[in-house]
Amino acid sequence: MTVTDARPTDSATTFDSLNPATGAVVGTFPIHTADDVTAAVERARPAATWWKELGYAGRKQRLRAWRSIIANRMEEFAELIHRENGKPVYDAIGELSLVVEHLDWASGHAKKTLGRRSVSSGLLAMNNSASLEYVPYGVVGVIGPWNYPVHTPMGSISYALAAGNAVVFKPSEYTPLIGKWLVDTFAEVVPEKPVLQLITGFGPTGAALCTSGVDKLAFTGSTATGKKVMAACAADLTPVVIECGGKDAFIVASDADLDAAAEAAVWGGLSNAGQTCAGVERVYAVASVYDEFVAKVTERAGKVRGGGDDDANYGPITMPSQIDIISRHIDDALANGGRAVVGGRESVQAPFVQPVVLVDVPETSSAITEETFGPTITIAKVRDEAEAVKLANDSVYGLGAAVFSAKKGRDIADQLSSGCVSINSAITYAMVPELPFGGVRDSGFGRIHGEDGLREFAWPKSVTSVRFNSPLKVTTFDHKPNMGQTVIRMVKARWGRGAK
Ligand code: NAD
């Protein structure tokens, strides 16, 4: 069967969310207008003040109660994720295990990372004390994608809430029921005020959120939409964090454990039907190990199967229009000299796509240059690790990367220009709450997760306070006539005696 994009007409006020494997309606949601969005942001303002005043301890207690609800009702939520997003229940459980770890970390580390602390006042202001704290923005708008419909937006929501902001959340139009589950369970632990609200709809609803007066906008989705979001936010100088797509490289060095590398490449490329922003899309294997590595990947990938049943390794393509992109990339690779060693064009059986492993694909093919977001992997033979690094870096994207090597992993990782790298595994950095996650170039900027992720949702406020009157009064028009000479002597004595 084919599930198509059932976009409602312009006059529609609601839309259906469909099970991507069966086409069954899983829920009907309002298409929120710009007025609805503005009203939600206005409701959020007093809620933000109240939430901020709860303080770190009060927020931590509520967020940890929410964490426990998500953990306790994991099976129910995973089943719902399976129905609306299509991914197997097992994968949904994996996603939720990440979500609760991050939520716990953000709530537990907010005070230490953002709370007021004294800093050195330095020589020039030595008669002052100096302190720094990070103040929540107020109301944060979060726009999410559908591929990791909980973990991805929660990378912003958990950290924004822990920092003391209210959040207005627009989930993807493909996963509004999942967003509603999150917002409803949050209201169980924070019933007093609308600290986390849901708005639903398509692009125009997201666009309205950008210009609704939110104090910061966190966007996760495609690069094309990220540019529109940034342009819309520029009108009011609304700050943004932009988490976009990737075309992540995977390097197999001459001293790699080839079984481990093949296992990681197949899982990193095919799990979640390849619909992973930091999934493995391009593999570069050094010539001396290339044939053996390709054989191992071929064997493993040949046993992986996408489907809607309980035994399938991954589910359908959630967004029907992505099928055309995946097909185009396979066609382009094959038309330009590429060979499929697993699957081929016939692997596209909408709404499912069976694994495809392509070799000999020219670096200019769209299968190499564009994000495919499907269960396809390309493997290229390279002369040595230096060539692998050069080709890995030769991309408009720079989100994640992986390196397999017994001894050269760190050295190769240091040469890769991507926001995250895992050595001898794939995508592991996303599991570590303390590590910031995000990319460079067309993969976006700003960070979610870790201390940087908390700071992303608060602005630094610097305060000095006079402790005693300085004998050297510089910042006055009534300074002593020889003050200039005194300053020259001081600066020379301190900094002028040759570089050390
Ligand atoms: P998308 O860009 O189509 O949509 C993302 C969200 O933006 C949706 O909620 C959508 O309704 C909304 N939107 C659409 N037009 C808008 C507009 N003009 N203004 C404001 N909002 C608008 O992306 P998608 O297909 O939902 O998600 C897949 C993409 O997300 C892939 O490129 C993937 O790599 C990326 N992604 C990135 C990360 C990351 O952390 N870097 C994580 C997951 C997914």
Side-chain angles (χ1 to χ4, degrees):
M1 68 145 314
T2 306
V3 178
T4 49
D5 269 315
R7 299 262 161 175
T9 57
D10 284 350
S11 59
T13 54
T14 62
F15 69 103
D16 291 335
S17 170
L18 307 179
N19 178 325
T22 65
V25 174
V26 296
T28 300
F29 290 86
I31 302 174
H32 283 124
T33 63
D35 286 346
D36 297 330
V37 175
T38 306
V41 172
E42 277 167 16
R43 278 193 301 276
R45 289 240 167 265
T49 307
W50 175 84
W51 181 243
K52 182 185 170 196
E53 285 170 2
L54 263 192
Y56 289 107
R59 291 196 294 272
K60 180 171 155 185
Q61 187 248 323
R62 304 297 184 103
L63 291 173
R64 291 202 160 163
W66 189 30
R67 173 211 61 194
S68 297
I69 288 185
I70 299 171
N72 290 333
R73 289 166 57 184
M74 235 175 148
E75 294 94 329
E76 168 201 327
F77 198 14
E79 179 59 36
L80 186 153
I81 295 169
H82 168 63
R83 262 192 297 130
E84 191 178 49
N85 162 284
K87 68 177 66 184
V89 169
Y90 175 81
D91 286 3
I93 287 170
E95 181 173 349
L96 291 178
S97 68
L98 290 175
V99 167
V100 289
E101 287 295 328
H102 279 275
L103 182 53
D104 183 81
W105 193 91
S107 62
H109 287 75
K111 184 176 181 190
K112 182 166 169 269
T113 309
L114 306 174
R116 187 179 305 165
R117 65 172 201 268
S118 296
V119 299
S120 163
S121 49
L123 186 70
L124 298 181
M126 63 188 291
N127 63 321
N128 281 258
S129 63
S131 70
L132 167 66
E133 71 178 312
Y134 291 84
V135 180
Y137 278 95
V139 182
V140 171
V142 174
I143 298 177
W146 45 264
N147 62 331
Y148 288 87
V150 191
H151 178 53
T152 289
M154 282 292 278
S156 296
I157 293 171
S158 303
Y159 290 75
L161 289 172
N165 302 279
V167 172
V168 178
F169 171 37
K170 193 205 98 56
S172 165
E173 52 271 39
Y174 294 97
T175 53
L177 187 61
I178 294 167
K180 183 173 174 347
W181 195 96
L182 275 176
V183 172
D184 288 350
T185 50
F186 181 82
E188 290 178 27
V189 299
V190 184
E192 297 93 335
K193 303 266 180 197
V195 172
L196 174 61
Q197 294 180 74
L198 181 77
I199 53 166
T200 52
F202 296 83
T205 305
L209 186 59
C210 299
T211 52
S212 63
V214 288
D215 302 298
K216 176 129 189 178
L217 196 290
F219 170 79
T220 310
S222 63
T223 303
T225 310
K227 289 179 182 176
K228 290 185 196 162
V229 164
M230 201 171 157
C233 287
D236 296 323
L237 227 55
T238 302
V240 288
V241 44
I242 303 280
E243 301 286 351
C244 296
K247 188 72 186 176
D248 289 3
F250 182 108
I251 293 178
V252 185
S254 57
D255 62 346
D257 174 338
L258 296 184
D259 286 311
E263 184 179 21
V266 169
W267 178 80
L270 306 182
S271 61
N272 209 36
Q275 302 164 116
T276 303
C277 51
V280 175
E281 297 224 356
R282 302 176 289 150
V283 177
Y284 296 104
V286 166
S288 57
V289 297
Y290 175 83
D291 289 339
E292 198 182 341
F293 176 75
V294 171
K296 287 181 189 293
V297 168
T298 303
E299 200 206 331
R300 280 181 179 276
K303 294 181 190 150
V304 175
R305 183 177 61 81
D309 54 292
D310 290 344
D311 296 329
N313 301 105
Y314 60 77
I317 300 305
T318 309
M319 183 168 72
S321 58
Q322 196 66 28
I323 293 275
D324 292 340
I325 296 174
I326 298 167
S327 306
R328 178 166 61 76
H329 287 186
I330 298 170
D331 287 346
D332 193 60
L334 297 178
N336 287 290
R339 286 185 299 121
V341 292
V342 175
R345 191 56 169 76
E346 69 286 1
S347 304
V348 181
Q349 302 150 7
F352 302 101
V353 177
Q354 300 307 328
V356 180
V357 179
L358 298 158
V359 297
D360 300 338
V361 182
E363 287 293 306
T364 49
S365 165
S366 57
I368 301 279
T369 59
E370 296 174 17
E371 183 181 46
T372 305
F373 229 49
T376 67
I377 308 170
T378 63
I379 312 178
K381 189 193 287 188
V382 289
R383 221 173 24 252
D384 51 23
E385 287 82 7
E387 187 180 14
V389 167
K390 183 174 172 297
L391 293 176
N393 286 342
D394 188 14
S395 170
V396 293
Y397 291 110
L399 187 54
V403 183
F404 269 75
S405 168
K407 296 218 175 86
K408 297 173 266 190
R410 183 71 219 202
D411 179 46
I412 295 168
D414 287 347
Q415 298 173 59
L416 290 170
S417 66
S418 62
C420 316
V421 185
S422 52
I423 300 170
N424 293 329
S425 71
I427 328 177
T428 307
Y429 40 76
M431 291 183 190
V432 183
E434 204 155 345
L435 284 180
F437 179 81
V440 292
R441 300 188 292 282
D442 276 10
S443 294
F445 58 86
R447 291 294 181 264
I448 54 171
H449 305 168
E451 293 183 351
D452 295 78
L454 282 166
R455 289 195 194 104
E456 196 68 59
F457 297 104
W459 45 274
K461 185 169 183 181
S462 307
V463 176
T464 60
S465 176
V466 171
R467 290 189 298 151
F468 56 87
N469 285 331
S470 169
L472 283 175
K473 242 183 161 209
V474 193
T475 52
T476 170
F477 292 116
D478 294 332
H479 58 72
K480 294 190 180 129
N482 63 348
M483 185 55 86
Q485 287 308 315
T486 308
V487 172
I488 289 170
R489 271 201 307 280
M490 254 176 59
V491 172
K492 284 192 173 174
R494 191 160 147 76
W495 302 117
R497 272 170 288 159
K500 275 201 193 136

